[in-house]
C-alpha cells in the first residue's frame, strides 16, 4: 500500500475550536510545521458551550469519523461557567449519539489553550488511533 493510500485511510476528524483560545494554539501547530493529519478539519466557534449536539451528529452522519471539541476551559472570554456548560453539552451529545446507534467515543473534548500546539497535535494522533480501534470493535 502506498503512503498516499494510507493517508486517505486516516480517520476524518472535525474539530470545533474556539476562536479566542484554541485557534491560536492550533494555528501555532501549523506555523511550527508540527505534523498532524490532513484529515483533520477545523471550524471556529466563539465559545465551546455554544456547540449544538445535533452538529456533532450531523458531522458523523456526513462522513466524519470523530468530532473533537477544543474547549476554552476556564479561559473563556464569554462565560464564567463555560467548562460546566460544555461538560453538560458533551453528556447530552453522547446520549444523542447512543440514541442514533453511534459510539459516544467518537466525541472527545479537551481544553486547548493558545500555546497548546504540541498538546493539540498529540490529541489528534491519539484520537485517530482510538477511532481506528472503535471501528474494528
Amino acid at each position: 500500500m502506498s503512503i498516499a493510500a494510507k493517508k486517505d485511510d486516516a480517520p476524518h476528524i472535525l474539530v470545533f475550536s474556539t476562536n479566542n483560545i484554541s485557534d491560536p494554539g492550533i494555528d501555532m501547530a501549523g506555523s511550527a510545521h508540527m505534523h498532524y493529519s490532513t484529515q483533520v478539519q477545523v471550524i471556529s466557534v466563539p465559545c465551546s458551550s455554544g456547540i449544538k449536539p445535533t452538529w456533532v451528529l450531523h458531522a458523523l452522519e456526513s462522513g466524519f469519523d470523530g468530532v473533537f471539541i477544543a474547549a476554552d476551559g476556564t479561559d473563556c472570554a464569554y462565560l464564567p461557567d463555560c467548562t460546566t456548560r460544555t461538560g453538560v453539552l458533551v453528556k447530552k451529545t453522547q446520549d444523542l449519539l447512543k440514541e442514533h446507534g453511534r459510539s459516544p467515543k467518537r466525541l472527545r473534548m479537551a481544553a486547548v489553550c493558545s500555546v497548546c500546539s504540541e498538546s493539540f497535535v498529540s490529541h489528534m494522533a491519539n484520537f485517530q488511533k482510538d477511532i481506528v480501534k472503535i471501528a474494528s470493535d
Side-chain angles (χ1 to χ4, degrees):
M1 179 180 288
S2 72
I3 291 174
K6 287 181 184 176
K7 285 183 182 178
D8 290 343
D9 290 341
H12 291 73
I13 297 174
L14 177 63
V15 176
F16 287 108
S17 172
T18 58
N19 53 16
N20 289 331
I21 306 296
S22 301
D23 278 356
I26 294 169
D27 288 346
M28 191 181 343
S31 296
H33 303 286
M34 295 177 180
H35 176 73
Y36 64 92
S37 175
T38 58
Q39 301 300 340
V40 173
Q41 295 180 332
V42 180
I43 294 178
S44 293
V45 295
C47 176
S48 56
S49 69
I51 298 165
K52 306 295 182 218
T54 55
W55 297 353
V56 174
L57 179 62
H58 178 75
L60 295 174
E61 289 177 342
S62 298
F64 283 95
D65 300 301
V67 176
F68 184 88
I69 298 174
D72 285 341
T74 58
D75 296 329
C76 181
Y78 302 104
L79 297 168
D81 63 342
C82 178
T83 302
T84 302
R85 289 179 184 221
T86 304
V88 170
L89 157 86
V90 168
K91 176 64 175 129
K92 286 181 182 177
T93 305
Q94 288 174 330
D95 291 343
L96 179 67
L97 295 178
K98 287 178 193 173
E99 289 172 18
H100 285 84
R102 305 259 178 195
S103 172
K105 293 179 182 178
R106 292 188 179 272
L107 171 64
R108 187 167 290 178
M109 178 191 82
V112 176
C113 70
S114 60
V115 295
C116 294
S117 54
E118 291 177 9
S119 173
F120 173 74
V121 171
S122 177
H123 281 300
M124 291 302 97
N126 291 332
F127 193 26
Q128 284 188 311
K129 288 176 188 172
D130 290 346
I131 289 171
V132 169
K133 289 177 189 171
I134 293 167
S136 66
D137 289 344

